[in-house]
Amino acid sequence: MSAWAVDQGVEEDSLVTLMGDPHAALTKAFDLEMTHPGPASVGIVGRCKRFALYVVDGIVKIVRVAEKEDDPAGDDYPDITLADAMVYAIKALGNGDEL
């Protein structure tokens, strides 16, 4: 993960934390395993769906998953998981309620 952080320009003292899930424990616990037959047909098995979380004091406040019928991996339409969309969603919380 540290090599990925360097590649992505994430500083050591950043607010962003990159974490791996090599055995898919979190992926499965969140029910975010990509099960669409398309990716599996080309050997992509056990991949996590593209998602973003906003977590405060261990409580998940926002979950955004980028997947569509024609884009199960969320590669073509990642918009709702990108920074701008997450910042907008966080600001929309306003009173602290989950979305």
Side-chain angles (χ1 to χ4, degrees), residues 2-53:
S2 57
W4 187 31
V6 169
D7 179 69
Q8 297 300 304
V10 177
E11 302 291 331
E12 283 188 37
D13 60 349
S14 172
L15 294 174
V16 174
T17 302
L18 303 179
M19 305 173 100
D21 187 21
H23 303 288
L26 183 68
T27 298
K28 291 174 183 173
F30 281 179
D31 194 25
L32 289 171
E33 187 172 6
M34 190 170 29
T35 57
H36 189 280
S41 72
V42 294
I44 302 172
V45 179
R47 178 177 167 185
C48 184
K49 296 175 184 179
R50 182 182 306 274
F51 73 99
L53 297 176

Side-chain angles (χ1 to χ4, degrees), residues 3 20-22 38 40 51 56 62 64-66 76 96:
D21 187 21
F51 73 99
V56 178
I62 300 172
R64 295 290 184 262
V65 181
D76 295 331

Side-chain angles (χ1 to χ4, degrees), residues 49-78:
K49 296 175 184 179
R50 182 182 306 274
F51 73 99
L53 297 176
Y54 175 59
V55 181
V56 178
D57 296 327
I59 299 170
V60 176
K61 298 286 188 170
I62 300 172
V63 178
R64 295 290 184 262
V65 181
E67 71 174 328
K68 294 185 177 193
E69 185 66 33
D70 63 337
D71 183 26
D75 293 336
D76 295 331
Y77 307 102

